[in-house]
Structures are given as structure tokens and as C-alpha cells.
Amino acid sequence: MVNSSPAVAAHAEGEEIEVLESTDVLPVAPEDQWKCLFDKYDPENSGFISTERFRDLLAAHGSELDPHKLEVLLALADANADGKICYQDFVNLMSNKRSNSFRQAILQGSRQLRNSALREEVGLGLSRRLVRHVAYETLPREVDRKWYFDSYTYCPPPWLMLAITITEVVVFMYYGLQLNRWVLQVSSPYFLKGPLPYHPQLRAQAWRFLSYIFMHAGIEHLGLNMAMQLLVGVPLEMVHGALRIGLVYVCGALAGSLAVSVTDMTAPVVGSSGGVYALVSAHLANVVMNWSGMKCQFKLFRMAMALVCMSVEFGRAVWLRCYPPAFPPCPNPSFVAHLGGVAVGLTLGVVVLQNYEQRLQEQSLFWIFFSVYTLFILCGIFWNIFAYNLLDVKLPPPP
């Protein structure tokens, strides 16, 4: 609640309303505090206030807001065509849950952001400069970059990509010591005997369709995947969160192993390329689709380098698959998982990255791609249950 005294008189639609300016604030939840303020400007309890009253509210209490957030609120006031501000939009905004209607209002608004670009701000510490750098790496709109810059607190940190990468390194070191081999570990007769890699004879052990990401064919395989995973995955997780990035990563990895089981039925699978290619493909597609808005430095050169790294890794995988296996009749690991990851990245991944701070369940395109993905997973499951016997596929012996 707010102890107050009369301070401002606001006029809207011929009515005069007395506005109270807070002098001290008792410890209440921020949302309750803003609801009290909104209600004072909405005596009819209609759930809306006029843009004139909304500007009065911002004039009286704007000092309590982050400067970038105040800019966005003013842009919302200018963008509203019917002259009214919805309470739910306002509360969602204050709790960092921006509705789709709010985004459209900002994009169609007449007000340009008043302050200088985020890149021109000086006096920032190292951690804040890193946040600003990540904002320019991943977000195409200045309003989103400023919003992210004000909202991000490093809590929680980007733990998911780091945890996956550390686990992959630990597993690789373990097998390197066990096999006494660091390059082309896959050529060892014991490489596929562990509980992690996918093998067509062991596909009934369903965890292998995901656990294969922690095994790599050699240090060259691990190095390229780890570089792309950290350079692209960590910034994306900082912006979009572990849940969304984890969704794209896991969907890419699962699609990769299922794609192998459908199209390259006799081959095993190792490596995190399915998940990594899903993230990198989604990010590159997002950059291309928002080329003019992306302000990251040397974006053309860096995009070319990312494509070169992806091509080198994919070329290595194709070469290894076609190379005569060390222990026939079991072939070398398949490269098809890369393509499954790319397919997920260009569909489901793009929708996730395009909707920063938007509820995915409100996006029809998300449900379309997610439904297609689910249908593919179900078809892949039935294929693994019935197709191998119906087609009488001759599989290599179990490792």
C-alpha cells in the first residue's frame, strides 16, 4: 500500500481525477505496488486507462523504473491506436512477461527510442559489457536488446551448455585413457561396447537415442562440436534460457538418432552433432532472417566461419562413414544425425529464437512445427519396432 498526498490532477474524456503521488512505500510485492498505482488511474475498474493518464503515471513514478524499461513504456503509449492501455499488458511488462500484442504495439509504434543505442553506453563493468555483447550477438531489435540488458542478472548462469560440454569432455577423457587412443577412438574394437553409443542391435535400450551425444569419434570430432556448442549455445542460453535452448538441443539430438535409424539402418551413432547443428542452424537462420537488424560485428565473416566449421565437421563425418570400417561388418558411425539436427534447427529452433520473451504456447507456428516433430518421432518409433523385421535388414553383430 502507499501513503500519499494529493499531487497531480489528470484530465481524460472530460473527467478530472485526483492523482496521488507516493511519498513512501511499504514492503509489498512489486506487482501489487504497480496494481495500486494503476487502480488510482482507473477509478472505474475497467482494466484500461487512457494514454494521457498512463503518461501521467510514468511522469510521477518513472524514476522507479530502469531507463530502458521507461522508454519501452512510453513507446507503448505512443503506439496504442485506440488511446487505451490494458492493465494486463502493463503488469506483464513489469514482470518481464511481454505479451504478443505488446510486441506488435512496440513494432508498429511511432516513437523512436529516445536514448542513444545500447552500444554507445560507457562506464560498464566487464560483466555488463558481456551481457551487452550477447544482446548484440543474438537479438535483432534495439528494444529487445535494451530490455534484455536491463533484465539479465546471471541468475541462473548458462549452466546447461556448460554442463553438457563438461560431461562430454569427462567421457572422452575416460575413454581415451581406457582405449589408450585420442584420435579416431572409433577404430578401437571396444569403442562401441559402452552403455552410451547408439547401435542398431541395441536400439531397444531407448536411452541410447540420446546418450550417444556424450561419445565422440575422436578429439577432432569433440573439438569442433565443443567449439560450436560453447560459442553459439552459451550466448543463446543466456538470452533464451536453459529450458528453451535445452528443448531445441534435445529435439535435435533425438531427431538425429531417429533419422539414422530410418535412413542408415545398419550404422551406429556417436557425437553431439544433432543437438549442436540444431542450435547453430537456428541461430544462423535467425541472423539471415533479421539481417538488417543484427548489429553484431563482422557478421558476414563470422557467419562464413560458422558455415565453414559446420561443413568441415560434416565432411569429416561423411568421410568417416564411407571409410572402410576397422571391424567389419559393423560400419563406421553415420553422418545423418547432422541432417536431422539441421531440420530441427530450421523449423522448431527458428520459432524459439524468433520469439524472445514470448510465450511459445501462444505461437501457432510453434505448435505446427512441434506437431510435425511429434509425428516424426512417433513414426520413427514405429519404424524401429516393425520395419527392421519387415524389411529383413541384416544388422551387424552387437558390440
Side-chain angles (χ1 to χ4, degrees), residues 146-204:
K146 289 187 174 184
W147 191 271
Y148 167 73
F149 181 80
D150 280 338
S151 302
Y152 188 71
T153 61
Y154 288 99
C155 184
W159 60 271
L160 180 62
M161 287 294 102
L162 295 176
I164 292 175
T165 303
I166 292 172
T167 304
E168 291 170 355
V169 172
V170 170
V171 170
F172 176 77
M173 295 291 291
Y174 171 79
Y175 277 93
L177 294 173
Q178 288 289 317
L179 305 175
N180 194 26
R181 189 170 301 182
W182 305 96
V183 178
L184 287 180
Q185 289 182 351
V186 70
S187 62
S188 169
Y190 302 103
F191 180 75
L192 295 176
K193 289 184 178 292
L196 298 178
Y198 167 85
H199 190 282
Q201 283 280 22
L202 303 175
R203 66 188 186 281

Side-chain angles (χ1 to χ4, degrees), residues 244-252 255 278-279 281-283 340-355 360 363-374 377:
R244 291 189 175 194
I245 297 306
L247 173 68
V248 177
Y249 190 90
V250 170
C251 286
L279 291 180
S281 298
H283 177 58
V342 170
V344 170
L346 294 180
T347 53
L348 196 62
V350 168
V351 176
V352 171
L353 299 193
Q354 284 276 36
N355 288 281
L360 291 179
Q363 312 300 317
S364 57
L365 200 57
F366 170 78
W367 288 113
I368 292 173
F369 285 137
F370 190 77
S371 298
V372 172
Y373 177 80
T374 303
I377 296 298

